[in-house]
Amino acid sequence: MSNINNQTQDLYSIELVQDLDQETAATVSGGALVLSSDAGGEGTRRTFSAARNRSLGSFNNIASWYEVTGNRDWFVYTGQNFSGRRRRLGAGKSNNLPASFNDDVESARPV
Ligand SMILES: [Ca+2]
């Protein structure tokens, strides 16, 4: 009986470790997307580094400028849950968002 319990625990442990590894790998390889509320990197800045940012929360429809750190491109979307229009932002780049995405980004993820 104690063997069964131990095995069950081991399985949970393995699952947790795998989840952490995937999250960590995505974070490391994906770098981060830095957004700011005003053009030119001014205003309030927020850094997104999760593999899947289904909603930017209080930062929805606010970003006017971006910077992509790390070596992976990012997608930003005008809708939550990666819906609406999509724009690819190049790794290592920073710029004002194009007019059609200005104050209109609600989700983001590394490519
Ligand atoms: Ca703005």
Side-chain angles (χ1 to χ4, degrees), residues 83-101:
S83 66
R85 287 175 292 112
R86 184 177 81 181
R87 177 89 178 189
R88 185 172 184 148
L89 306 177
K93 301 211 168 125
S94 68
N95 206 341
N96 293 330
L97 284 163
S100 56
F101 284 78

Side-chain angles (χ1 to χ4, degrees), residues 46-111:
R46 185 82 66 81
T47 298
F48 298 90
S49 56
R52 301 181 78 73
N53 304 277
R54 294 184 169 280
S55 168
L56 304 188
S58 61
F59 226 64
N60 282 340
N61 304 314
I62 281 183
S64 296
W65 175 93
Y66 72 90
E67 177 176 17
V68 177
T69 66
N71 52 17
R72 281 179 71 180
D73 293 357
W74 278 65
F75 283 132
V76 291
Y77 300 81
T78 57
Q80 294 182 34
N81 295 311
F82 319 117
S83 66
R85 287 175 292 112
R86 184 177 81 181
R87 177 89 178 189
R88 185 172 184 148
L89 306 177
K93 301 211 168 125
S94 68
N95 206 341
N96 293 330
L97 284 163
S100 56
F101 284 78
N102 185 38
D103 295 336
D104 201 6
V105 172
E106 295 191 359
S107 56
R109 64 179 176 87
V111 171

Side-chain angles (χ1 to χ4, degrees), residues 28-44:
V28 169
S29 62
L33 173 67
V34 183
L35 297 175
S36 85
S37 60
D38 298 341
E42 300 293 318
T44 305

